[in-house]
Amino acid sequence: MGEARDQAGPPTGRTIELVLLAFAAVLVTGALILVEANQEQTLTVDLLLIGAAYLALLVAAHIAVRRLAPYADPLILPAVALLNGLGLVMIYRLDLAKADRAVALGNDLPTLLWPRQVAWTGVGLLLFVGVLWIVRDHRKLAAYAYTAGFAGLILLALPGVLPSSISEVNGAKIWLRLGIFSIQPGEFAKILLIIFFAAFLVQKRDLFSTAGRRFLGMELPRARDLAPLLVAWAFSVGVLVLERDLGTSLLFFGIVLVLLYTATERVSWMLIGLSFFAAGGFVAYQLFGHVRTRVQIWIDPFADFDGAGFQIGQALFGLGTGGLGGTGLGAGRPELVPFAESDFMLSSLGEELGLIGLAAIMVIYLVLITRGLRSALAVRDSFGKLLATGLAFTLALQVFIVAGGASKLIPLTGLTLPFLSYGGSSLVANYALVALLLRISNAARAPLPRRPATPLPPIAEAGTELVERPS
Amino acid sequence: MNTPVRRIAIAVMAMILLLMANLTYIQVVKAGDYRTDQRNQRVLLAEYSRQRGQISAEGQVLARSVETEGQYPYQREYPDGSAFASVTGYYSLVYSAGGLERAANDVLNGSDDRLFTRRLSDLITGRDPSGGNVVTTIDPAVQQAAYDALSDAGYTGAVVALQPATGAILAMASTPSYDPNPLASQSAQTQQDAWAEYTAADPPVLTNRAIQEIYPPGSTFKLIDVAAALESGRYTPDSQLTAASSITLADTATPLQNFNGNACGTAATASLREALQRSCNTAFAELAQQLGEQAIRDQAEAFGIGTEDIAIPMGVVPSTIGDIESTAALQQTSIGQRDVALTPLQNAMVVAAIANDGRLMAPYLISEIQGQDLETLDTTEPDQLGQSVSPGVAQTLTDLMVNNENSYTGAGKIRGVQIAAKTGTAEHGADPKSTPPHVWYVAFAPAENPQVAVAVLVESGGDRNNLAATGGAVAAPIGRAVIGAALRGSQ
């Protein structure tokens, strides 16, 4: 209807977005009903209320988009909503299983995770709207590039310098535990650093194509031109390696390479980066016992099934048991895998939804990511292009690292599946990331400001006018 | 900058495709391996999380699943443990299942087609899906009597009791036995300890000797010789056979003696009746030679030996009379030695067919399949496998077996009940003369209206040093006790 009234402009796609959001809410409610039917063998009207509440939340986000970014890509928000919803259902489902087990063993009830995740979803949507509200033009962000980069580095390094008592959880020193809730500042640092890298590369872009030494037949920019970028990059990857957050360091490494490649249009950067990576990986393998363990588990998880290989082994059993069609939501045993709701969300979903379900989820991710990259193609400014590419590729690389790790495609490094896994920081940060993508896609799809059809004649050529003579 | 972005988009698609290819490999190609890996608890957990059906006998529960507060929602219980283990088998999270637990698994876990409508209604009404119940043909009193008789004496052996008219198995005992309860424990350690103990036991306890082992039938095989002779029409119970204490096997220098080297009575010849009563080896060797291999083989097959793959529903090891390559071999076969080997169940089928006017019935252990609410879903109809002998011959055999029983000494005779029987004492092993023999007693009662047929086997004569053990002394009292228990129940 909005489109009908606004006949002159291109379609905004907002109606499509609303319909797709409703579709996502129906799917999520259906999934919830299946979980309930399989786990508790009872169905209550509450489920429909929960579904309706979820839809209401999505509609609120939709209205915000309609007001603040009316031309934003209509597929992005529904894709995110569906992933977030499926994640919530699976977290709820794992809570049920854990509670059942605790009751059976006579233990205290475990902390339920789904109410927290619902709360984090609320916070995430608030930040989503906030980012859309505050960032009216993504190009303004470039002005704060160094501030963002600095803040990002501090956030990243903070857990490393703070005492373990408030920064370490399960061996990874990447947390800030603030009373009742904990956040992973690295998740937010990710976005800030992407803003910095994108802005910096746009600023220095000309340098890459002009100056440079030749090395192995490739033109390299002068080191000092790239110094701030390389320093920031080396610093962040170094910090993460020291914090033993292998997944995130891999993520940063990949993002910077891709941004360099996009900005310079030179494959040489990828090749140099990848050879650095190979060398770094080799050194890390030699230096760090935990890296060696990861690689050994990757090669044969069943060699040490009762020890280090237990988690990935259980995940593979879960995926195998799920097979093509899955056991059905609520009818599998995903809770047998440690960290089933976070790092191993993939195997939880794969066991109960099967290969078919995982394929659908991968397609949703692909839609989300390619829509982000499409905005990068369509947006007119270089900073927007780089920023959108960086943000979209972050999602892609993170999905690849996590899903590949949980399915023994690559060595396991703990990360979360964007929007699906349990984890407040990841969810909230990714909602901010999506808000930025929507902002850029709005800029890409919005019509150019219309010039007046016939310019007014200059004042000098205006005719004279007979005015009634004052009496 | 658009070209790199397009290439990155292609790279992203390739990454997702790579993930999908890997997931396809895991969830399709490797799925079977992962699903069935011993370390994958999921499939068994699924079985433990629904109520498995019960196994019962005449209202007595032999195996049931009860709700627990433990790690798993249900716990399998065997109230009478060892005595019925040869019927129920075991159900173990770690070691799978045996006996009826394995053979009737589809019914017990609810996946049998006959339970389909039940499953459907469970789904709709939201009731916990659960398995069907198996009602056995076992008469608990007979089973208990058979088990007690064997185990109280410390024997290694088996007893099978059949209802001649139907083939229903009233008892199927095997000793030494085991307690299936620890194997169903929720503690893997308890299961492991029990499994280690049971598999290391000597003599083995997990073997069901009634259906999983074959033994030389010894003199009980002479019933088949007599049946063949009578069926030929050329012999009557009064036909005369040699009474020599020893003969030489045809075309060899090997002597064949009667038990303890006795002559078969005082005359030069003995009647078929006397020869069977005294179980004279020489007479039957002569008879077999006269009848020829084919007649003996045909008669053995008519009793089901080597012809049927029997499942009750547990698989029964096939019985055999072996290759009979010479007349000497035939002569040895005729006294139930050489390659002849029968399961106790098969030997019980032989006497049950005689008791049933020659009609050989298929033995069966499951009488009924029930839904969760004990409503009958299926009942087993008796199945006739064939006609072993004519009713007239069956009657004559019965008379001869009555004559046998009345000549036997040994304990446990039942006042007012006429039993028809045959004993057997079978040499076996590498050094048969100094190895205690397997002893047999096959019988049915009452002779005039048979209600129960039994086969008793005691390995190595009960205790391993008793070279003088005979079927009459060791096995007959057990058989009579079982018949007594069966007839008390049917009166």
Side-chain angles (χ1 to χ4, degrees), chain A residues 225-291:
Chain A
D225 294 330
L226 271 184
L229 180 122
L230 292 177
V231 166
W233 179 29
F235 180 78
S236 49
V237 172
V239 163
L240 289 166
V241 167
L242 291 180
E243 289 173 1
R244 291 196 173 191
D245 190 359
L246 297 178
T248 312
S249 48
L250 192 59
L251 189 64
F252 270 95
F253 194 89
I255 294 165
V256 172
L257 275 188
V258 159
L259 286 179
L260 264 174
Y261 166 63
T262 311
T264 60
E265 304 197 6
R266 285 192 192 169
V267 186
S268 53
W269 282 109
M270 296 294 271
L271 298 178
I272 293 167
L274 288 177
S275 38
F276 272 174
F277 178 75
F282 180 74
V283 170
Y285 182 84
Q286 298 297 326
L287 286 183
F288 303 114
H290 65 277
V291 176

Side-chain angles (χ1 to χ4, degrees), chain A residues 28-260:
Chain A
V28 169
T29 311
L32 199 58
I33 288 172
L34 281 177
V35 164
E36 206 70 12
N38 274 321
Q39 283 277 303
E40 312 284 293
Q41 259 90 36
T42 53
L43 291 176
T44 55
V45 194
D46 294 357
L47 294 178
L48 291 177
L49 291 178
I50 294 170
Y54 187 66
L55 182 61
L57 215 56
L58 298 180
V59 168
H62 165 77
I63 290 169
V65 173
R66 201 177 262 269
R67 289 279 161 80
L68 298 168
Y71 292 98
D73 191 295
L75 293 186
I76 291 177
L77 189 59
V80 167
L82 188 50
L83 291 170
N84 190 179
L86 283 179
L88 277 171
V89 168
M90 190 41 91
I91 290 162
Y92 173 66
R93 182 250 169 283
L94 288 166
D95 273 343
L96 285 181
K98 283 179 189 163
D100 278 358
R101 194 179 159 80
V103 168
L105 292 175
N107 294 344
D108 291 337
L109 278 181
T111 321
L112 293 183
L113 298 179
W114 72 269
R116 295 179 174 211
Q117 188 75 348
V118 168
W120 283 119
T121 304
V123 174
L125 282 169
L126 277 180
L127 187 63
F128 171 84
V129 175
V131 168
L132 282 181
W133 177 269
I134 296 162
V135 184
R136 289 305 177 95
D137 182 350
H138 65 270
R139 285 170 297 187
K140 298 257 170 66
L141 287 175
Y144 302 101
Y146 282 87
T147 316
F150 199 60
L153 288 180
I154 286 175
L155 280 180
L156 206 56
L158 201 56
V161 293
L162 288 175
S164 290
S165 60
I166 56 168
S167 66
E168 188 166 329
V169 177
N170 294 325
K173 222 164 129 48
I174 52 174
W175 294 86
L176 280 186
R177 293 197 292 176
L178 309 165
I180 52 161
F181 69 100
S182 341
I183 57 168
Q184 278 177 288
E187 292 283 349
F188 298 92
K190 182 175 75 183
I191 298 174
L192 292 172
L193 285 167
I194 290 172
I195 292 172
F196 163 69
F197 291 141
F200 179 83
L201 285 169
V202 169
Q203 227 173 51
K204 305 277 180 177
R205 198 172 162 232
D206 295 341
L207 290 170
F208 306 144
S209 32
T210 55
R213 281 198 304 174
R214 292 189 68 82
F215 174 73
L216 295 176
M218 299 178 297
E219 291 223 5
L220 301 182
R222 286 176 304 176
R224 65 182 162 101
D225 294 330
L226 271 184
L229 180 122
L230 292 177
V231 166
W233 179 29
F235 180 78
S236 49
V237 172
V239 163
L240 289 166
V241 167
L242 291 180
E243 289 173 1
R244 291 196 173 191
D245 190 359
L246 297 178
T248 312
S249 48
L250 192 59
L251 189 64
F252 270 95
F253 194 89
I255 294 165
V256 172
L257 275 188
V258 159
L259 286 179
L260 264 174

Side-chain angles (χ1 to χ4, degrees), chain A residues 41 104 258 261-262 265 314 317-321 323 333 350-351 355 358-359 362 373 382 385 389 404 407 409, chain B residues 1-2 4-5 7-9 12 15-16 19-20 22 26-27 31 34-35 37 39-40 42 49 69-70 126 128:
Chain A
Q41 259 90 36
V258 159
Y261 166 63
T262 311
E265 304 197 6
Q314 280 287 1
F317 286 159
L319 287 171
T321 306
R333 292 274 176 179
E351 180 173 349
L355 180 64
L358 283 186
M362 289 299 155
L373 291 173
S382 301
K385 275 185 197 298
T389 306
S407 60
L409 180 64
Chain B
M1 284 197 278
N2 281 356
V5 175
R7 287 194 184 140
I8 286 164
V12 167
M15 280 156 63
I16 300 280
L19 279 176
M20 286 314 305
N22 182 52
I26 288 171
Q27 297 201 277
Y34 288 143
R35 204 186 344 253
D37 192 296
R39 294 165 291 194
N40 187 356
R42 289 175 177 77
S49 65
E69 298 295 312
D128 276 345

Side-chain angles (χ1 to χ4, degrees), chain B residues 16 99 110 132 171 181 217 344 448 458 460:
Chain B
I16 300 280
N181 284 302
E448 61 281 7
V458 179
S460 301

